[in-house]
Amino acid sequence: MESISASGHPPTSTDEEHGVEAQGTERNPQTNPMPSPPVVPTKKRKEVESRSIVWDHFEKIRAPPAEGETEGPVVEGKCLYCAKIYKCESKKHGTSSLKNHMNACLKNPHCKDTRQSLLTFNASGTEASEGVLGTWVFNQEAIRRALCEMIIVDELPFRIVEGNGFRKFILVACPRFQIPSRWTISRDIYQIYLDERISLKKLFRVSTQRVSLTTDTWTSVQRINYMCITAHFIDDQWKLNKKIISFVPISSHKGEYIAKALESCLLDWGIKNVFTVTVDNASSNDTALGFFKNKILSWGGSSVRVQYMHMRCIAHVLNLVVQDGLRYAGPSVKKVRDVVRWVRSSPARLKKFREIAVLNGVEAKCALQLDVPTRWNNTYMMLNTALQYQRAFEAYENDASLNADLSDSIPNFMDWLSVQSLVHFLKGFYEMTVRISGFLYVTSNTFFSEISDLGCMLDDMVNSVSTSKKEMGSHMKQKFEKYWGDPEKMNFLIFYANILDPRDKIEYMPAQFAQLYGDEKGKSCFEKVQSSMVLLFNDYTATYHVQSASPTVQSTQSEPVHSQTSVGKPQARMKSQLKKQRMESGGSSKETDLQIYLSEKLVEDEENVDFDVLRWWKVNSD
């Protein structure tokens, strides 16, 4: 029912606008009360902080604040580098002009379009490039790849990119670099691995690169058998490369499983030109290399070169020789090991020992270390360090707890003399192990010289007046003769590599053979080495001669010969045919490269100068 006004007519629009107030006046508030609407307070809009990147390079200039406001709106921006001012009021101008100037400002060091190149010193990590002046241009992808390489080389965790310290460092060093997440870094590193794998596969497939392999197997604490295969090769720049091409679990340490793992790895990489495979002296490796040689022959390998494929690890044999002698080193080594273990077993003892060392004027910089008994070079380092702290150990003998725990195992003066003599004796073997274990440089050219030195050292031990040293030397000599006593059981590549050293060639080899195996046996062995090396050289010459020859070249060379010898010169025709047969078989009337090399003078070996045999061959092959 419509409401009716006091005059009896329906209310008009004017009445409706004021009807609430009029009716509220006429009606009884007790019968029909009408509450007044609540008053909503006006809220000031919250100011949002500007998120534009331009304010990292501009200073905000604000207008005078209005009544009731603390600060006015931003109307202009002043460049932090060149002090130019641009309008930037949000409703009229915006920040487009500021962005354009930020990218074009000549004084902005973070500008992508800087017209003048920045000078810097190249820092590629090599000594040859140090101090070379160059130009620097910001490249997001290059810095990102360098970051991945840093994580790979230094073995850092992926989450380093999310650390506050790293982010602060990048903000100061290169603010424009956008730091990727650890998930992006992991994908980038995996992509680097894939790219390097593709390029290495291309090198192995396209080039006739000879590859030497080293491999070993072991069992982890989880009882899982693993196998690692490393490829060593010389690239076209005459640089030695070392690449791990396989790291896989294997089901067993038996020879057939090792051979299958080698085969699948080489098929995956496309490697067929295998030079040598270096393994330790386990019997399973002999079986594996037997299977593997047959596989190489089926791939088209030369039978002459296959017989030189199995190479026993020189460092492993040396370790067995010295380890066999250390068993008869006497009780002095055990006493020193026990007292070192006792001092290191407690932080309080180690602290007291250091204080005693300082009081007695011990200037040793290396800390005490405990050896692994199965590694003789580790034992040598333990004894050598302990000798430097001899005065500290002698001053520590009065300690009551030491005498209570090691009453019969405290080394006395005679024990220290025995250890000193043993360290002096082991030093030569340790330095020899360090030399032949290098992988950043070629070591095969020194193997025969090292074996000769080892034989002389063992002979001196056997002829020593000291009973203990003589006993050790006799046992080490037996182990030495087991592997290197018969040259027929050795890989002749050890001798060939020594001949290819321009400092030695064959000048000293007859005397070395005579010293190792006697005059008669040494002479026959030297003659066999010479004849076998000529056969190997002829095999390589014939192989690469066939590969380098082409039918077009042969036809162009043979046509003039027939035209000149077809009329009235039968002897010339016969000589031409014999010469052609001799050239095809790898022979020549001239001296071979091997004969020319052996006839040249020796390279003088300067003292205190490291001779780079690869660099020498590179210079002389150009």
Side-chain angles (χ1 to χ4, degrees):
M1 183 176 180
E2 297 181 354
S3 59
I4 301 185
S5 61
S7 59
H9 300 283
T12 61
S13 59
T14 306
D15 295 333
E16 290 177 356
E17 293 178 0
H18 304 282
V20 175
E21 183 179 356
Q23 293 175 8
T25 306
E26 294 177 357
R27 291 179 181 178
N28 188 357
Q30 295 180 355
T31 58
N32 190 12
M34 292 292 295
S36 59
V39 178
V40 179
T42 59
K43 290 185 178 180
K44 185 179 180 181
R45 183 178 179 183
K46 182 180 179 180
E47 293 186 1
V48 180
E49 186 69 21
S50 177
R51 294 188 295 267
S52 177
I53 194 175
V54 299
W55 298 118
D56 294 336
H57 307 273
F58 282 86
E59 178 186 352
K60 296 179 179 180
I61 300 177
R62 299 179 180 273
E67 185 178 356
E69 295 181 354
T70 57
E71 59 182 10
V74 178
V75 294
E76 292 177 339
K78 181 180 179 181
C79 180
L80 298 177
Y81 311 109
C82 63
K84 289 186 178 180
I85 298 177
Y86 291 89
K87 299 288 186 180
C88 62
E89 192 173 354
S90 59
K91 295 183 179 180
K92 294 182 179 180
H93 306 94
T95 58
S96 298
S97 58
L98 275 66
K99 287 183 179 180
N100 296 333
H101 176 74
M102 179 185 67
N103 295 327
C105 182
L106 297 178
K107 296 184 179 181
N108 183 3
H110 313 293
C111 177
K112 294 182 180 180
D113 300 328
T114 302
R115 299 177 186 177
Q116 186 175 4
S117 300
L118 300 178
L119 297 179
T120 183
F121 286 99
N122 293 331
S124 60
T126 59
E127 295 181 359
S129 63
E130 290 183 358
V132 179
L133 191 64
T135 58
W136 177 83
V137 178
F138 175 80
N139 190 329
Q140 173 74 18
E141 297 301 324
I143 301 177
R144 188 162 148 183
R145 182 180 177 88
L147 175 60
C148 294
E149 292 177 355
M150 179 192 73
I151 293 176
I152 295 172
V153 173
D154 296 338
E155 300 180 0
L156 301 174
F158 295 157
R159 57 184 176 85
I160 189 176
V161 297
E162 297 179 354
N164 294 329
F166 179 80
R167 291 183 175 274
K168 183 177 180 180
F169 168 75
I170 292 297
L171 183 63
V172 175
C174 188
R176 287 170 51 195
F177 177 64
Q178 299 178 2
I179 303 176
S181 65
R182 57 177 175 175
W183 306 108
T184 304
I185 286 292
S186 64
R187 290 193 297 268
D188 289 350
I189 290 177
Y190 184 68
Q191 187 61 43
I192 291 175
Y193 162 75
L194 295 178
D195 296 342
E196 292 292 329
R197 181 182 175 88
I198 292 174
S199 62
L200 189 58
K201 272 190 174 183
K202 184 178 179 181
L203 174 66
F204 289 146
R205 292 181 185 276
V206 174
S207 65
T208 56
Q209 194 70 48
R210 286 172 293 180
V211 180
S212 295
L213 304 176
T214 57
T215 180
D216 195 12
T217 58
W218 69 94
T219 303
S220 67
V221 294
Q222 294 87 8
R223 310 299 299 173
I224 302 176
N225 303 319
Y226 287 100
M227 180 177 181
C228 180
I229 303 175
T230 308
H232 306 263
F233 60 93
I234 300 172
D235 58 16
D236 54 356
Q237 300 297 323
W238 288 84
K239 293 182 179 180
L240 183 63
N241 291 267
K242 172 191 173 184
K243 305 290 184 182
I244 296 177
I245 59 176
S246 179
F247 192 99
V248 293
I250 57 174
S251 56
S252 174
H253 289 283
K254 295 182 178 180
E256 53 183 313
Y257 294 98
I258 296 175
K260 289 180 181 179
L262 276 172
E263 179 186 356
S264 61
C265 174
L266 297 186
L267 289 175
D268 181 31
W269 284 92
I271 301 174
K272 293 186 177 181
N273 197 357
V274 179
F275 187 52
T276 60
V277 181
T278 304
V279 291
D280 58 19
N281 298 293
S283 58
S284 59
N285 289 326
D286 298 339
T287 307
L289 266 296
F291 284 109
F292 191 66
K293 287 179 181 179
N294 296 330
K295 185 60 64 175
I296 293 295
L297 287 174
S298 66
W299 290 349
S302 171
S303 59
V304 177
R305 277 173 274 172
V306 164
Q307 63 179 328
Y308 300 110
M309 184 171 295
H310 186 186
M311 176 68 72
R312 299 184 185 273
C313 180
I314 305 292
H316 182 73
V317 175
L318 177 60
N319 179 60
L320 294 177
V321 170
V322 183
Q323 192 68 41
D324 210 49
L326 279 180
R327 298 176 184 176
Y328 305 91
S332 300
V333 176
K334 183 180 182 303
K335 289 182 179 181
V336 173
R337 181 184 294 118
D338 291 341
V339 74
V340 170
R341 182 186 293 111
W342 185 87
V343 171
R344 286 171 50 91
S345 61
S346 169
R349 296 172 186 171
L350 191 59
K351 181 180 178 182
K352 182 179 179 180
F353 179 81
R354 291 172 180 170
E355 294 174 352
I356 294 176
V358 173
L359 291 175
N360 286 271
V362 177
E363 299 180 355
K365 296 181 180 180
C366 50
L368 285 177
Q369 53 182 314
L370 189 63
D371 70 328
V372 180
T374 57
R375 298 178 60 185
W376 74 266
N377 52 346
N378 200 256
T379 303
Y380 163 78
M381 297 175 66
M382 178 197 69
L383 297 177
N384 188 31
T385 306
L387 278 176
Q388 301 178 36
Y389 288 96
Q390 179 180 350
R391 285 181 292 177
F393 280 113
E394 291 174 348
Y396 211 128
E397 291 179 0
N398 299 325
D399 186 82
S401 58
L402 175 62
N403 287 274
D405 296 338
L406 301 176
S407 58
D408 299 330
S409 298
I410 301 176
N412 53 29
F413 180 73
M414 297 303 297
D415 291 325
W416 287 113
L417 284 180
S418 177
V419 168
Q420 185 177 3
S421 176
L422 182 62
V423 166
H424 179 73
F425 154 71
L426 291 177
K427 183 179 180 181
F429 295 97
Y430 177 77
E431 293 176 350
M432 186 181 298
T433 303
V434 172
R435 288 194 300 268
I436 65 178
S437 300
F439 59 89
L440 298 178
Y441 50 89
V442 177
T443 57
S444 58
N445 59 313
T446 63
F447 284 167
F448 183 57
S449 298
E450 299 291 355
I451 293 174
S452 301
D453 291 341
L454 179 60
C456 295
M457 294 167 64
L458 295 180
D459 289 338
D460 293 339
M461 291 181 62
V462 173
N463 299 325
S464 176
V465 295
S466 175
T467 306
S468 60
K469 185 178 290 188
K470 188 173 183 178
E471 185 181 6
M472 289 177 59
S474 61
H475 288 88
M476 295 170 69
K477 186 71 173 179
Q478 292 177 6
K479 184 70 71 172
F480 174 87
E481 291 179 350
K482 178 181 178 181
Y483 295 104
W484 294 326
D486 187 4
E488 300 294 334
K489 297 181 180 179
M490 297 174 62
N491 192 328
F492 275 25
L493 286 179
I494 296 176
F495 310 130
Y496 302 158
N498 186 83
I499 294 175
L500 293 177
D501 191 328
R503 299 169 296 175
D504 293 340
K505 297 185 180 180
I506 59 174
E507 184 74 17
Y508 315 109
M509 187 167 285
Q512 290 173 316
F513 275 124
Q515 190 175 26
L516 282 173
Y517 310 115
D519 294 336
E520 184 177 353
K521 189 175 181 180
K523 183 179 179 181
S524 62
C525 183
F526 176 67
E527 292 175 353
K528 185 174 182 179
V529 167
Q530 285 183 303
S531 59
S532 301
M533 187 173 185
V534 172
L535 291 176
L536 182 62
F537 175 80
N538 291 337
D539 180 76
Y540 272 105
T541 303
T543 301
Y544 289 100
H545 175 73
V546 173
Q547 292 179 355
S548 60
S550 60
T552 56
V553 175
Q554 292 177 356
S555 62
T556 56
Q557 291 179 352
S558 59
E559 288 177 0
V561 174
H562 288 290
S563 62
Q564 295 175 2
T565 62
S566 60
V567 181
K569 294 184 178 180
Q571 293 295 324
R573 187 184 305 113
M574 180 190 67
K575 292 179 181 180
S576 174
Q577 292 176 355
L578 293 176
K579 182 179 179 181
K580 182 179 179 180
Q581 293 176 2
R582 185 169 61 250
M583 294 297 295
E584 289 179 352
S585 62
S588 175
S589 59
K590 298 181 180 179
E591 289 186 339
T592 63
D593 293 337
L594 178 60
Q595 293 172 340
I596 295 173
Y597 165 74
L598 294 177
S599 63
E600 294 174 348
K601 294 182 179 180
L602 297 179
V603 175
E604 296 296 332
D605 188 11
E606 300 179 4
E607 296 183 358
N608 300 325
V609 176
D610 293 333
F611 182 76
D612 190 349
V613 66
L614 284 183
R615 182 179 299 177
W616 187 91
W617 277 103
K618 177 183 179 182
V619 172
N620 287 270
S621 63
D622 292 341

